């Protein structure tokens, strides 16, 4: 299996930072707030690999830094340090070679925008972040298609319809505004939009949090189906162990911005090594 993403020592500090920040935060200090300079060490030293078609879970309690990881990788927020390499798929690399590497945080903003629009997809917990609420569901998808390949209006509309159909949004609603959709339907439109360019890498941040259980279950099924069909590699951020269990093959566990445990999901859930993970798993039973 080919590696698609390599993350090394990713860190993000909110605030000025000081020489004591790292020693006075983290799981042992039981905080991510530096008592000396009041900076928040949102994440520090986060490393993981992701392979083509794999779903990796990022778990941990609220504030542990999960969203910060995917926001950095999707270029929503520049990290304070660390590196991430994206390996483009052989089909997209010149002369079929698998060495089209992108050193994500060394790219200029135009290059980052290109990757974001052509190679990555993001589904946010808050649909306000992922959708333009001033344009229709179909328009949201069309907008994303326009940023990628050049297609004529008719072709874009057909493709937008096909994507909404695939994510089980009624075609009669293609011209409706996102605000008129239920929370579950907004997430489906976000997923359709994220998939519009058939990205090899998708980030999902608490996509089902706050939805009714039955709606959650159907959206998780949809994500699994899509992963099987398109072989999309995914980073799934959630504090919901049910989501971790259902979707992911491997996972990392975060606490106060640090990765405290990593491994196969089954092993983490059945035989957690770290006391914190043991408590997380026990409390979810
Ligand atoms: N813009 C910001 N300015 C200051 N601190 C921030 C900012 N964004 C996030 N943080 C802090 O960084 C830490 C990590 O936040 P993050 O959103 O990554 O956590 P999370 O694990 O996704 O939590 P949740 O499960 O609640 O979504 C938190 O302490 C948060 O308050
Ligand atoms: Mg979050
Ligand atoms: Zn400090």
């Amino acid at each position: 299996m080919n590696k698609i993403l390599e993350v090394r020592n990713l860190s993000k500090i909110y605030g000025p930072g000081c020489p004591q920040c790292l020693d006075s935060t983290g799981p042992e200090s039981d905080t991510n707030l530096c008592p000396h300079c009041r900076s928040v060490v949102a994440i520090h030293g986060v490393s993981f690999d992701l392979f083509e078609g794999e779903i990796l879970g990022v778990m941990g309690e609220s504030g542990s830094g999960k969203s910060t990881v995917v926001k950095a990788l999707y270029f929503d927020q520049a990290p304070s340090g660390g590196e991430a390499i994206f390996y483009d798929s052989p089909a997209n690399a010149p002369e079929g070679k698998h060495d089209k590497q992108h050193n994500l945080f060394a790219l200029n903003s135009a290059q980052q925008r290109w990757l974001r629009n052509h190679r990555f997809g993001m589904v946010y917990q808050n649909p306000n972040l992922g959708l333009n609420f001033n344009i229709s569901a179909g328009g949201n998808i069309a907008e994303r298609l326009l940023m990628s390949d050049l297609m004529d209006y008719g072709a874009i509309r057909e493709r937008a319809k096909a994507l909404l159909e695939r994510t089980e949004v009624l075609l009669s609603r293609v011209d409706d505004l996102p605000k008129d959709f239920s929370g579950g339907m907004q997430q489906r439109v976000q997923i359709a939009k994220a998939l519009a360019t058939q990205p090899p890498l998708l980030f999902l941040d608490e996509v089902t949090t706050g939805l009714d259980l039955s709606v959650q279950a159907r959206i998780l099924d949809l994500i699994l189906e899509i992963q099987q069909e398109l072989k999309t590699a995914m980073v799934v951020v959630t504090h919901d162990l049910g989501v971790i269990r259902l979707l992911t093959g491997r996972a990392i566990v975060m606490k106060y911005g640090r990765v405290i445990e990593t491994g196969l999901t089954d092993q983490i859930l059945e035989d957690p090594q770290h006391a914190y993970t043991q408590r997380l798993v026990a409390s979810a039973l």
Side-chain angles (χ1 to χ4, degrees):
M1 230 182 353
N2 291 318
K3 201 184 279 184
I4 187 165
L5 183 68
E6 188 177 302
V7 178
R8 290 293 174 272
N9 289 316
L10 197 61
S11 72
K12 174 74 183 177
I13 297 182
Y14 290 103
C18 77
Q20 284 117 296
C21 275
L22 297 181
D23 285 340
S24 32
T25 59
E28 281 80 44
S29 311
D30 234 15
T31 182
N32 63 4
L33 183 69
C34 174
H36 306 283
C37 71
R38 312 304 290 171
S39 296
V40 175
V41 181
I43 54 173
H44 180 73
V46 173
S47 302
F48 61 84
D49 292 334
L50 180 71
F51 295 87
E52 281 175 359
E54 184 188 29
I55 307 187
L56 177 85
V58 180
M59 55 192 272
E61 65 193 348
S62 184
S64 57
K66 307 180 299 294
S67 295
T68 303
V69 172
V70 288
K71 280 181 182 163
L73 295 171
Y74 193 62
F75 306 122
D76 276 338
Q77 273 166 356
S80 313
E83 216 178 46
I85 313 285
F86 170 68
Y87 299 86
D88 217 338
S89 67
N92 299 319
E95 287 111 48
K97 285 191 301 185
H98 194 269
D99 60 357
K100 191 111 196 275
Q101 302 182 16
H102 302 270
N103 189 348
L104 295 185
F105 309 123
L107 301 175
N108 65 37
S109 57
Q111 293 167 319
Q112 292 185 342
R113 209 173 318 118
W114 189 88
L115 281 178
R116 202 177 136 110
N117 291 339
H118 294 79
R119 292 290 180 267
F120 302 165
M122 171 72 111
V123 182
Y124 296 92
Q125 172 177 1
N126 182 348
N128 283 292
L129 293 176
L131 296 176
N132 182 340
F133 270 57
N134 299 312
I135 58 175
S136 68
N140 265 281
I141 296 164
E143 194 181 57
R144 178 129 175 121
L145 288 169
L146 278 168
M147 286 188 278
S148 59
D149 338 77
L150 287 172
M151 287 198 268
D152 63 84
Y153 174 81
I156 285 179
R157 196 171 160 81
E158 280 316 301
R159 177 122 177 83
K161 278 185 170 173
L163 282 158
L164 287 173
E165 194 163 32
R166 179 65 197 83
T167 51
E168 293 164 5
V169 176
L170 285 177
L171 287 188
S172 58
R173 307 212 53 192
V174 66
D175 296 316
D176 290 354
L177 293 172
K179 74 168 169 60
D180 296 325
F181 285 75
S182 67
M185 280 298 157
Q186 289 173 347
Q187 291 312 61
R188 289 172 185 278
V189 176
Q190 265 207 92
I191 293 169
K193 180 177 181 174
L195 291 174
T197 54
Q198 300 217 0
L201 177 56
L202 190 61
F203 302 108
L204 302 126
D205 192 354
E206 308 275 6
V207 261
T208 54
T209 304
L211 301 175
D212 287 347
L213 284 181
S214 62
V215 177
Q216 283 193 22
R218 295 192 48 204
I219 289 182
L220 295 174
D221 277 347
L222 174 67
I223 292 168
L224 271 183
E225 282 170 26
I226 285 164
Q227 193 271 338
Q228 306 252 301
E229 257 171 56
L230 303 175
K231 303 280 175 259
T232 315
M234 303 185 189
V235 178
V236 171
V237 165
T238 179
H239 65 267
D240 185 335
L241 294 194
V243 172
I244 291 284
R245 188 187 299 276
L246 188 71
L247 292 186
T248 72
R250 258 180 342 118
I252 63 175
V253 184
M254 297 190 62
K255 186 180 188 193
Y256 292 121
R258 300 344 191 247
V259 175
I260 56 162
E261 187 155 351
T262 167
L264 296 173
T265 300
D266 289 347
Q267 271 169 19
I268 290 179
L269 295 181
E270 266 144 49
D271 185 22
Q273 299 301 302
H274 197 286
Y276 171 73
T277 320
Q278 290 166 1
R279 279 201 304 280
L280 268 188
V281 172
S283 67
L285 292 179

